[in-house]
Protein backbone atom coordinates (compact mmCIF):
# COMPACT_ATOMS: atom_id res chain seq x y z
CA UNK A 1 0.00 0.00 0.00
CA UNK A 2 1.28 3.42 -0.80
CA UNK A 3 -0.42 4.80 2.25
CA UNK A 4 -0.13 2.35 5.13
CA UNK A 5 -2.01 4.65 7.46
CA UNK A 6 -5.07 4.21 5.33
CA UNK A 7 -4.57 0.52 4.65
CA UNK A 8 -7.72 -1.11 3.39
CA UNK A 9 -6.64 -4.64 3.86
CA UNK A 10 -6.92 -7.04 6.69
CA UNK A 11 -3.76 -8.48 8.19
CA UNK A 12 -3.89 -11.53 5.94
CA UNK A 13 -3.30 -9.54 2.80
CA UNK A 14 -1.05 -6.98 4.39
CA UNK A 15 1.42 -9.78 5.10
CA UNK A 16 2.41 -9.83 1.48
CA UNK A 17 0.66 -8.76 -1.64
CA UNK A 18 0.55 -11.17 -4.48
CA UNK A 19 2.11 -9.40 -7.37
CA UNK A 20 1.14 -10.98 -10.62
CA UNK A 21 2.48 -11.13 -14.08
CA UNK A 22 -0.13 -10.35 -16.67
CA UNK A 23 1.48 -12.46 -19.34
CA UNK A 24 -0.20 -14.03 -22.31
CA UNK A 25 -0.45 -17.27 -20.35
CA UNK A 26 -1.55 -15.51 -17.19
CA UNK A 27 0.96 -17.44 -15.07
CA UNK A 28 1.36 -15.78 -11.68
CA UNK A 29 4.87 -15.03 -10.45
CA UNK A 30 5.82 -16.32 -7.02
CA UNK A 31 4.67 -14.29 -4.05
CA UNK A 32 7.16 -11.52 -3.38
CA UNK A 33 8.81 -11.25 -0.02
CA UNK A 34 7.44 -8.71 2.37
CA UNK A 35 9.04 -5.34 1.82
CA UNK A 36 10.10 -6.13 -1.71
CA UNK A 37 8.80 -3.15 -3.62
CA UNK A 38 10.29 -4.10 -6.97
CA UNK A 39 7.69 -3.20 -9.55
CA UNK A 40 6.13 -6.25 -11.15
CA UNK A 41 7.29 -7.04 -14.65
CA UNK A 42 4.26 -6.80 -16.81
CA UNK A 43 4.26 -8.70 -20.03
CA UNK A 44 4.52 -7.35 -23.50
CA UNK A 45 1.17 -5.67 -22.97
CA UNK A 46 2.27 -2.25 -24.10
CA UNK A 47 0.04 -0.31 -21.77
CA UNK A 48 1.50 -1.71 -18.58
CA UNK A 49 5.23 -1.54 -18.76
CA UNK A 50 7.49 -1.57 -15.73
CA UNK A 51 4.78 -1.37 -13.14
CA UNK A 52 4.14 2.28 -13.93
CA UNK A 53 0.70 3.74 -13.68
CA UNK A 54 -0.77 3.37 -17.16
CA UNK A 55 -2.48 6.04 -19.22
CA UNK A 56 -6.09 5.28 -20.07
CA UNK A 57 -7.69 6.56 -23.28
CA UNK A 58 -11.21 7.78 -22.61
CA UNK A 59 -13.38 8.52 -25.62
CA UNK A 60 -15.27 11.80 -25.15
CA UNK A 61 -16.69 12.20 -28.67
CA UNK A 62 -16.91 9.70 -31.49
CA UNK A 63 -17.40 10.95 -35.04
CA UNK A 64 -18.73 14.39 -34.08
CA UNK A 65 -19.67 16.84 -36.83
CA UNK A 66 -17.73 20.03 -37.45
CA UNK A 67 -18.26 22.60 -34.69
CA UNK A 68 -19.69 20.21 -32.09
CA UNK A 69 -16.51 19.92 -30.04
CA UNK A 70 -15.50 23.17 -28.33
CA UNK A 71 -12.21 23.66 -26.51
CA UNK A 72 -10.69 26.18 -24.17
CA UNK A 73 -7.62 26.41 -21.99
CA UNK A 74 -6.62 29.09 -19.54
CA UNK A 75 -2.95 28.11 -19.72
CA UNK A 76 -0.74 27.57 -22.72
CA UNK A 77 -0.93 24.40 -24.76
CA UNK A 78 1.08 22.69 -27.43
CA UNK A 79 -0.30 20.91 -30.43
CA UNK A 80 1.86 18.05 -31.65
CA UNK A 81 1.72 15.17 -34.07
CA UNK A 82 1.34 11.65 -32.70
CA UNK A 83 5.12 11.33 -33.01
CA UNK A 84 5.55 14.38 -30.77
CA UNK A 85 6.60 16.90 -33.42
CA UNK A 86 5.43 20.38 -32.50
CA UNK A 87 2.77 21.78 -34.82
CA UNK A 88 1.95 24.97 -32.92
CA UNK A 89 2.12 26.63 -29.51
CA UNK A 90 -0.97 28.33 -28.19
CA UNK A 91 -0.63 30.83 -25.32
CA UNK A 92 -4.15 29.94 -24.26
CA UNK A 93 -7.27 28.83 -26.08
CA UNK A 94 -10.32 31.04 -25.91
CA UNK A 95 -13.41 28.90 -26.36
CA UNK A 96 -13.08 27.67 -29.93
CA UNK A 97 -14.80 25.09 -32.06
CA UNK A 98 -12.96 22.27 -33.74
CA UNK A 99 -13.87 22.69 -37.40
CA UNK A 100 -13.56 20.17 -40.15
CA UNK A 101 -14.11 19.67 -43.82
CA UNK A 102 -13.34 16.82 -46.17
CA UNK A 103 -9.85 18.24 -46.65
CA UNK A 104 -8.77 18.58 -43.03
CA UNK A 105 -9.49 20.06 -39.62
CA UNK A 106 -8.46 22.97 -37.43
CA UNK A 107 -9.11 24.80 -34.19
CA UNK A 108 -11.26 27.82 -35.00
CA UNK A 109 -9.06 30.82 -35.83
CA UNK A 110 -5.93 28.74 -36.49
CA UNK A 111 -4.52 27.21 -39.67
CA UNK A 112 -5.69 23.79 -40.76
CA UNK A 113 -3.61 20.90 -39.43
CA UNK A 114 -1.67 19.05 -42.10
CA UNK A 115 -2.20 15.72 -40.36
CA UNK A 116 -5.36 13.84 -39.49
CA UNK A 117 -4.46 13.27 -35.82
CA UNK A 118 -3.04 15.70 -33.26
CA UNK A 119 -2.39 15.77 -29.53
CA UNK A 120 -3.20 18.83 -27.42
CA UNK A 121 -0.87 19.06 -24.46
CA UNK A 122 -1.69 21.65 -21.78
CA UNK A 123 1.49 22.99 -20.24
CA UNK A 124 2.35 22.94 -16.52
CA UNK A 125 -0.30 20.32 -15.73
CA UNK A 126 -3.05 22.74 -16.59
CA UNK A 127 -6.42 21.38 -17.61
CA UNK A 128 -8.33 21.57 -20.86
CA UNK A 129 -12.01 22.34 -21.09
CA UNK A 130 -14.02 20.35 -23.62
CA UNK A 131 -17.65 21.35 -24.08
CA UNK A 132 -17.76 22.92 -20.65
CA UNK A 133 -16.11 20.06 -18.75
CA UNK A 134 -12.55 20.36 -17.46
CA UNK A 135 -10.19 17.44 -17.99
CA UNK A 136 -6.74 16.53 -16.74
CA UNK A 137 -4.25 15.07 -19.17
CA UNK A 138 -4.01 15.36 -22.91
CA UNK A 139 -6.54 15.41 -25.69
CA UNK A 140 -6.20 13.38 -28.84
CA UNK A 141 -8.17 14.75 -31.80
CA UNK A 142 -8.62 12.82 -35.00
CA UNK A 143 -10.30 13.59 -38.27
CA UNK A 144 -11.88 11.08 -40.63
CA UNK A 145 -12.09 11.43 -44.43
CA UNK A 146 -15.81 12.17 -44.17
CA UNK A 147 -15.12 15.23 -42.00
CA UNK A 148 -16.04 13.81 -38.60
CA UNK A 149 -13.96 14.40 -35.47
CA UNK A 150 -13.24 12.20 -32.47
CA UNK A 151 -11.81 13.36 -29.14
CA UNK A 152 -10.08 11.07 -26.67
CA UNK A 153 -8.75 12.11 -23.26
CA UNK A 154 -5.39 10.51 -22.37
CA UNK A 155 -5.14 10.55 -18.58
CA UNK A 156 -3.32 8.56 -15.87
CA UNK A 157 -5.55 5.70 -14.72
CA UNK A 158 -5.86 6.83 -11.10
CA UNK A 159 -6.63 10.40 -12.13
CA UNK A 160 -9.42 9.02 -14.31
CA UNK A 161 -10.70 6.97 -11.35
CA UNK A 162 -10.91 10.11 -9.20
CA UNK A 163 -13.45 11.45 -11.70
CA UNK A 164 -15.26 8.12 -12.05
CA UNK A 165 -15.68 7.58 -8.31
CA UNK A 166 -17.43 10.93 -7.92
CA UNK A 167 -19.92 9.95 -10.62
CA UNK A 168 -20.46 6.31 -9.74
CA UNK A 169 -20.82 6.28 -5.93
CA UNK A 170 -21.96 8.46 -3.05
CA UNK A 171 -18.84 9.78 -1.37
CA UNK A 172 -20.43 9.94 2.08
CA UNK A 173 -20.53 6.13 2.15
CA UNK A 174 -18.14 4.32 4.53
CA UNK A 175 -14.49 4.25 3.45
CA UNK A 176 -14.29 0.46 2.95
CA UNK A 177 -17.23 0.64 0.58
CA UNK A 178 -15.60 3.40 -1.48
CA UNK A 179 -12.28 1.53 -1.55
CA UNK A 180 -14.03 -1.59 -2.84
CA UNK A 181 -15.72 0.45 -5.56
CA UNK A 182 -12.44 2.15 -6.53
CA UNK A 183 -10.67 -1.22 -6.90
CA UNK A 184 -13.55 -2.64 -8.93
CA UNK A 185 -13.51 0.42 -11.21
CA UNK A 186 -9.74 0.20 -11.67
CA UNK A 187 -9.99 -3.53 -12.44
CA UNK A 188 -12.76 -2.98 -14.96
CA UNK A 189 -10.79 -0.20 -16.67
CA UNK A 190 -7.59 -2.24 -16.74
CA UNK A 191 -9.39 -5.17 -18.33
CA UNK A 192 -10.79 -2.94 -21.06
CA UNK A 193 -7.36 -1.38 -21.65
CA UNK A 194 -5.94 -4.83 -22.32
CA UNK A 195 -8.89 -5.85 -24.50
CA UNK A 196 -9.07 -2.72 -26.61
CA UNK A 197 -5.43 -1.99 -27.35
CA UNK A 198 -6.09 -1.98 -31.08
CA UNK A 199 -9.12 0.29 -30.81
CA UNK A 200 -9.02 4.10 -30.79
CA UNK A 201 -9.99 4.26 -27.09
CA UNK A 202 -10.07 2.00 -24.05
CA UNK A 203 -13.38 3.16 -22.59
CA UNK A 204 -16.20 5.55 -23.35
CA UNK A 205 -17.20 8.14 -20.78
CA UNK A 206 -20.77 6.99 -20.12
CA UNK A 207 -22.63 4.04 -18.63
CA UNK A 208 -21.55 1.75 -21.45
CA UNK A 209 -18.30 1.64 -19.44
CA UNK A 210 -18.06 3.95 -16.42
CA UNK A 211 -19.43 7.47 -16.09
CA UNK A 212 -16.56 9.96 -16.28
CA UNK A 213 -17.07 13.71 -16.31
CA UNK A 214 -13.47 14.81 -15.97
CA UNK A 215 -12.80 17.07 -13.02
CA UNK A 216 -16.48 17.94 -12.60
CA UNK A 217 -17.17 15.15 -10.08
CA UNK A 218 -13.65 14.92 -8.71
CA UNK A 219 -13.19 15.86 -5.08
CA UNK A 220 -10.63 15.68 -2.31
CA UNK A 221 -12.36 12.66 -0.82
CA UNK A 222 -12.53 10.82 -4.17
CA UNK A 223 -8.82 11.45 -4.74
CA UNK A 224 -8.01 10.19 -1.23
CA UNK A 225 -9.87 6.92 -1.78
CA UNK A 226 -8.13 6.38 -5.12
CA UNK A 227 -4.77 7.09 -3.50
CA UNK A 228 -5.43 4.60 -0.68
CA UNK A 229 -6.00 1.89 -3.28
CA UNK A 230 -3.32 3.12 -5.71
CA UNK A 231 -2.42 0.41 -8.23
CA UNK A 232 -4.56 -2.31 -6.60
CA UNK A 233 -6.60 -4.48 -8.95
CA UNK A 234 -8.59 -7.69 -8.86
CA UNK A 235 -7.47 -10.70 -10.80
CA UNK A 236 -8.53 -14.30 -11.23
CA UNK A 237 -5.69 -16.83 -11.50
CA UNK A 238 -3.37 -14.04 -12.58
CA UNK A 239 -5.66 -12.59 -15.22
CA UNK A 240 -7.60 -9.38 -15.06
CA UNK A 241 -11.34 -9.78 -15.62
CA UNK A 242 -14.17 -7.30 -16.23
CA UNK A 243 -15.16 -6.41 -12.67
CA UNK A 244 -18.72 -5.37 -13.45
CA UNK A 245 -20.81 -3.63 -10.85
CA UNK A 246 -24.34 -2.35 -10.63
CA UNK A 247 -26.31 -0.08 -8.35
CA UNK A 248 -28.25 -2.62 -6.30
CA UNK A 249 -28.80 -6.33 -6.93
CA UNK A 250 -32.10 -6.58 -5.03
CA UNK A 251 -30.89 -9.43 -2.84
CA UNK A 252 -28.90 -11.71 -5.13
CA UNK A 253 -26.37 -11.02 -7.88
CA UNK A 254 -26.47 -12.84 -11.21
CA UNK A 255 -23.99 -14.26 -13.69
CA UNK A 256 -22.62 -12.38 -16.68
CA UNK A 257 -24.51 -14.39 -19.28
CA UNK A 258 -27.87 -13.73 -17.61
CA UNK A 259 -27.25 -10.11 -16.66
CA UNK A 260 -25.22 -8.91 -19.61
CA UNK A 261 -25.37 -11.60 -22.31
CA UNK A 262 -21.61 -11.96 -21.98
CA UNK A 263 -19.36 -14.92 -21.45
CA UNK A 264 -18.90 -15.85 -17.83
CA UNK A 265 -15.92 -15.47 -15.54
CA UNK A 266 -15.83 -17.46 -12.30
CA UNK A 267 -15.69 -14.29 -10.12
CA UNK A 268 -18.88 -13.14 -11.83
CA UNK A 269 -20.86 -16.04 -10.37
CA UNK A 270 -24.12 -15.24 -8.56
CA UNK A 271 -23.92 -14.64 -4.81
CA UNK A 272 -26.46 -13.83 -2.13
CA UNK A 273 -26.16 -10.17 -1.16
CA UNK A 274 -28.40 -9.31 1.75
CA UNK A 275 -26.88 -5.86 2.22
CA UNK A 276 -28.55 -3.55 -0.31
CA UNK A 277 -31.99 -3.00 1.24
CA UNK A 278 -31.17 0.66 1.92
CA UNK A 279 -31.30 1.36 -1.81
CA UNK A 280 -34.53 3.13 -2.70
CA UNK A 281 -34.86 0.68 -5.58
CA UNK A 282 -34.37 -2.46 -3.49
CA UNK A 283 -38.08 -2.98 -4.20
CA UNK A 284 -39.89 -0.97 -6.83
CA UNK A 285 -43.13 -0.79 -8.80
CA UNK A 286 -43.65 0.50 -12.28
CA UNK A 287 -47.10 0.80 -13.85
CA UNK A 288 -47.39 1.24 -17.59
CA UNK A 289 -50.25 1.34 -20.08
CA UNK A 290 -50.47 -1.84 -22.14
CA UNK A 291 -50.81 0.34 -25.24
CA UNK A 292 -47.51 1.98 -24.46
CA UNK A 293 -45.80 -1.40 -24.14
CA UNK A 294 -47.15 -2.37 -27.57
CA UNK A 295 -45.89 0.90 -29.03
CA UNK A 296 -42.42 0.43 -27.51
CA UNK A 297 -42.24 -3.12 -28.84
CA UNK A 298 -43.32 -2.01 -32.31
CA UNK A 299 -40.70 0.73 -32.33
CA UNK A 300 -38.10 -1.93 -31.59
CA UNK A 301 -39.20 -4.02 -34.55
CA UNK A 302 -41.56 -6.41 -32.74
CA UNK A 303 -45.01 -6.08 -34.21
CA UNK A 304 -47.64 -7.08 -31.65
CA UNK A 305 -51.40 -6.79 -31.23
CA UNK A 306 -53.18 -5.75 -28.03
CA UNK A 307 -51.09 -6.77 -25.02
CA UNK A 308 -52.88 -9.35 -22.85
CA UNK A 309 -50.23 -10.62 -20.48
CA UNK A 310 -46.50 -10.43 -19.87
CA UNK A 311 -44.72 -13.04 -17.80
CA UNK A 312 -41.10 -13.39 -16.67
CA UNK A 313 -39.83 -16.90 -17.41
CA UNK A 314 -36.92 -18.87 -15.97
CA UNK A 315 -36.37 -16.89 -12.80
CA UNK A 316 -33.52 -18.59 -10.99
CA UNK A 317 -32.23 -18.22 -7.45
CA UNK A 318 -31.10 -14.71 -8.46
CA UNK A 319 -34.74 -13.78 -9.14
CA UNK A 320 -33.96 -12.67 -12.68
CA UNK A 321 -36.02 -13.63 -15.67
CA UNK A 322 -34.15 -15.23 -18.55
CA UNK A 323 -36.92 -14.59 -21.04
CA UNK A 324 -40.14 -12.65 -21.11
CA UNK A 325 -43.28 -14.18 -22.60
CA UNK A 326 -45.64 -11.65 -24.15
CA UNK A 327 -49.20 -12.75 -24.94
CA UNK A 328 -51.01 -10.44 -27.35
CA UNK A 329 -54.09 -10.50 -29.56
CA UNK A 330 -52.08 -11.68 -32.59
CA UNK A 331 -50.12 -14.40 -30.81
CA UNK A 332 -47.09 -14.78 -28.59
CA UNK A 333 -43.69 -13.16 -28.47
CA UNK A 334 -40.73 -14.40 -26.47
CA UNK A 335 -37.86 -12.00 -25.85
CA UNK A 336 -34.65 -12.17 -23.88
CA UNK A 337 -35.31 -10.46 -20.58
CA UNK A 338 -32.34 -8.11 -21.03
CA UNK A 339 -33.66 -7.01 -24.43
CA UNK A 340 -37.16 -6.47 -23.03
CA UNK A 341 -35.69 -4.35 -20.21
CA UNK A 342 -33.87 -2.14 -22.70
CA UNK A 343 -37.02 -1.74 -24.79
CA UNK A 344 -39.01 -0.67 -21.72
CA UNK A 345 -36.22 1.66 -20.54
CA UNK A 346 -33.57 0.62 -18.02
CA UNK A 347 -34.50 3.53 -15.74
CA UNK A 348 -38.12 2.32 -15.57
CA UNK A 349 -37.88 -1.45 -15.67
CA UNK A 350 -34.94 -1.23 -13.30
CA UNK A 351 -33.91 -4.88 -13.43
CA UNK A 352 -34.94 -8.20 -14.93
CA UNK A 353 -35.89 -9.43 -11.44
CA UNK A 354 -39.60 -8.64 -11.62
CA UNK A 355 -43.11 -9.99 -11.54
CA UNK A 356 -46.19 -8.55 -13.22
CA UNK A 357 -49.79 -7.93 -12.25
CA UNK A 358 -52.66 -7.15 -14.56
CA UNK A 359 -54.46 -3.94 -13.64
CA UNK A 360 -56.95 -3.35 -16.46
CA UNK A 361 -55.42 -1.06 -19.05
CA UNK A 362 -52.18 -1.11 -17.14
CA UNK A 363 -49.62 -3.70 -16.27
CA UNK A 364 -47.79 -3.28 -12.95
CA UNK A 365 -44.21 -4.50 -12.75
CA UNK A 366 -42.88 -5.15 -9.22
CA UNK A 367 -39.17 -5.75 -9.05
CA UNK A 368 -35.96 -5.91 -7.08
CA UNK A 369 -32.80 -3.86 -7.47
CA UNK A 370 -31.49 -1.52 -10.14
CA UNK A 371 -29.05 -2.61 -12.80
CA UNK A 372 -27.78 -5.74 -14.49
CA UNK A 373 -26.90 -7.34 -11.15
CA UNK A 374 -23.53 -8.75 -12.25
CA UNK A 375 -20.53 -8.54 -9.90
CA UNK A 376 -20.33 -5.98 -7.15
CA UNK A 377 -23.56 -4.54 -5.71
CA UNK A 378 -22.78 -0.88 -4.96
CA UNK A 379 -25.48 -0.43 -2.31
CA UNK A 380 -24.41 -3.77 -0.91
CA UNK A 381 -20.88 -2.43 -0.41
CA UNK A 382 -22.40 0.34 1.66
CA UNK A 383 -24.32 -2.16 3.77
CA UNK A 384 -21.31 -4.43 4.23
CA UNK A 385 -18.94 -1.57 5.10
CA UNK A 386 -21.49 -0.22 7.61
CA UNK A 387 -21.52 -3.69 9.20
CA UNK A 388 -17.74 -3.48 9.63
CA UNK A 389 -16.39 -5.49 6.71
CA UNK A 390 -13.13 -4.48 5.02
CA UNK A 391 -12.80 -3.63 1.33
CA UNK A 392 -10.95 -6.89 0.76
CA UNK A 393 -13.73 -8.91 2.38
CA UNK A 394 -16.38 -7.06 0.41
CA UNK A 395 -14.58 -7.71 -2.88
CA UNK A 396 -14.10 -11.39 -2.03
CA UNK A 397 -17.81 -11.62 -1.36
CA UNK A 398 -18.98 -10.11 -4.65
CA UNK A 399 -16.20 -11.58 -6.83
CA UNK A 400 -15.79 -15.12 -5.48
CA UNK A 401 -12.33 -16.52 -6.17
CA UNK A 402 -10.81 -13.20 -7.21
CA UNK A 403 -7.65 -11.91 -5.53
CA UNK A 404 -6.03 -8.53 -5.16
CA UNK A 405 -2.67 -7.44 -6.50
CA UNK A 406 -0.81 -4.15 -6.48
CA UNK A 407 0.45 -3.68 -10.03
CA UNK A 408 1.82 -0.13 -9.84
ZN1 LIG B 1 -27.20 -6.26 -3.33
Amino acid sequence: MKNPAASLFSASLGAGLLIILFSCTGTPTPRLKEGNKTPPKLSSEALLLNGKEPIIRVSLFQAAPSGKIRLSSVGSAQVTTLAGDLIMEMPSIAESAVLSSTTGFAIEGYPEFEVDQVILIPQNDADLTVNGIRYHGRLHLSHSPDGLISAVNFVPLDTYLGGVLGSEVILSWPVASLQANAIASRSYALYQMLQRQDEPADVVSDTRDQVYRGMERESESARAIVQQTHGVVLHYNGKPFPAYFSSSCGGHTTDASTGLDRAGWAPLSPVKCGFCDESRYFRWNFAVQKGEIAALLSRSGHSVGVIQDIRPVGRGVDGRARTVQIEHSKGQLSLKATEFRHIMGTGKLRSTSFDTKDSGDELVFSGNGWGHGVGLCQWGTKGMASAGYTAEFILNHYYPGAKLAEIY
Side-chain angles (χ1 to χ4, degrees):
M1 295 289 85
K2 297 295 188 287
N3 181 359
S7 176
L8 68 161
F9 298 117
S10 63
S12 63
L13 191 79
L17 281 168
L18 176 68
I19 306 294
I20 53 163
L21 174 68
F22 288 160
S23 65
C24 296
T25 58
T27 309
T29 54
R31 185 180 287 258
L32 295 181
K33 287 178 187 162
E34 190 174 2
N36 185 342
K37 289 293 178 189
T38 308
K41 285 181 184 162
L42 293 162
S43 82
S44 56
E45 307 284 16
L47 291 166
L48 296 165
L49 294 173
N50 302 323
K52 287 184 186 153
E53 182 180 353
I55 302 290
I56 188 168
R57 303 168 303 153
V58 189
S59 174
L60 306 181
F61 288 95
Q62 299 113 45
S66 177
K68 182 169 181 189
I69 301 173
R70 301 186 66 83
L71 302 174
S72 64
S73 168
V74 176
S76 61
Q78 289 184 340
V79 181
T80 73
T81 64
L82 287 195
D85 298 325
L86 185 66
I87 296 174
M88 66 174 77
E89 299 236 26
M90 308 173 89
S92 63
I93 310 172
E95 191 177 331
S96 313
V98 183
L99 303 174
S100 72
S101 66
T102 50
T103 59
F105 76 131
I107 295 173
E108 191 177 7
Y110 289 88
E112 200 167 276
F113 303 128
E114 291 176 353
V115 289
D116 59 9
Q117 298 185 61
V118 298
I119 308 265
L120 254 76
I121 308 171
Q123 301 298 287
N124 306 315
D125 281 336
D127 49 86
L128 272 176
T129 300
V130 184
N131 290 37
I133 299 177
R134 289 163 59 215
Y135 293 93
H136 295 288
R138 302 176 173 197
L139 191 72
H140 173 250
L141 293 172
S142 60
H143 174 258
S144 66
D146 48 4
L148 300 173
I149 301 167
S150 296
V152 180
N153 186 199
F154 287 20
V155 62
L157 180 53
D158 276 24
T159 306
Y160 160 77
L161 292 171
V164 166
L165 209 59
S167 293
E168 290 281 5
V169 293
I170 297 169
L171 290 165
S172 58
W173 284 0
V175 168
S177 136
L178 301 177
Q179 290 171 335
N181 278 275
I183 293 170
S185 284
R186 183 181 293 106
S187 307
Y188 176 88
L190 178 80
Y191 177 83
Q192 300 304 353
M193 292 171 78
L194 295 171
Q195 291 295 303
R196 298 174 181 168
Q197 290 182 60
D198 297 329
E199 296 180 27
D202 301 311
V203 288
V204 296
S205 57
D206 60 35
T207 52
R208 286 172 291 167
D209 285 307
Q210 310 192 69
V211 179
Y212 169 64
R213 294 186 56 81
M215 299 166 70
E216 195 170 274
R217 303 279 170 81
E218 201 183 82
S219 65
E220 196 56 47
S221 53
R223 280 193 293 271
I225 295 293
V226 171
Q227 180 58 30
Q228 287 158 24
T229 62
H230 184 68
V232 177
V233 293
L234 290 152
H235 67 96
Y236 181 68
N237 287 340
K239 290 185 177 177
F241 64 93
Y244 293 110
F245 52 86
S246 65
S247 177
S248 63
C249 73
H252 208 293
T253 69
T254 191
D255 59 273
S257 65
T258 303
L260 290 161
D261 302 321
R262 303 217 172 123
W265 282 83
L268 302 177
S269 301
V271 296
K272 189 174 187 302
C273 174
F275 287 96
C276 56
D277 55 348
E278 259 190 74
S279 160
R280 69 184 278 208
Y281 301 113
F282 182 65
R283 299 280 180 260
W284 49 262
N285 288 298
F286 160 50
V288 58
Q289 294 281 328
K290 289 175 182 170
E292 192 185 334
I293 300 174
L296 288 168
L297 286 166
S298 297
R299 239 177 274 157
S300 306
H302 302 289
S303 176
V304 291
V306 178
I307 299 285
Q308 292 160 337
D309 191 19
I310 294 184
R311 285 194 315 274
V313 178
R315 295 180 70 180
V317 66
D318 55 23
R320 284 173 163 73
R322 271 56 180 170
T323 54
V324 174
Q325 194 72 32
I326 299 156
E327 312 281 342
H328 57 94
S329 56
K330 292 184 191 165
Q332 267 191 0
L333 173 68
S334 181
L335 289 179
K336 278 190 116 165
T338 44
E339 184 190 354
F340 180 70
R341 180 174 171 235
H342 277 92
I343 290 170
M344 296 302 294
T346 55
K348 290 179 176 166
L349 193 64
R350 292 179 186 274
S351 77
T352 55
S353 175
F354 65 81
D355 225 328
T356 57
K357 195 172 144 204
D358 196 316
S359 178
D361 290 342
E362 284 186 339
L363 206 64
V364 180
F365 294 83
S366 311
N368 310 314
W370 188 5
H372 53 64
V374 180
L376 177 142
C377 168
Q378 292 180 305
W379 276 92
T381 68
K382 192 208 173 198
M384 288 189 78
S386 301
Y389 293 105
T390 64
E392 183 194 10
F393 192 96
I394 293 169
L395 290 165
N396 284 339
H397 177 70
Y398 289 112
Y399 301 111
K403 292 195 163 54
L404 295 170
E406 186 182 15
I407 61 160
Y408 56 83

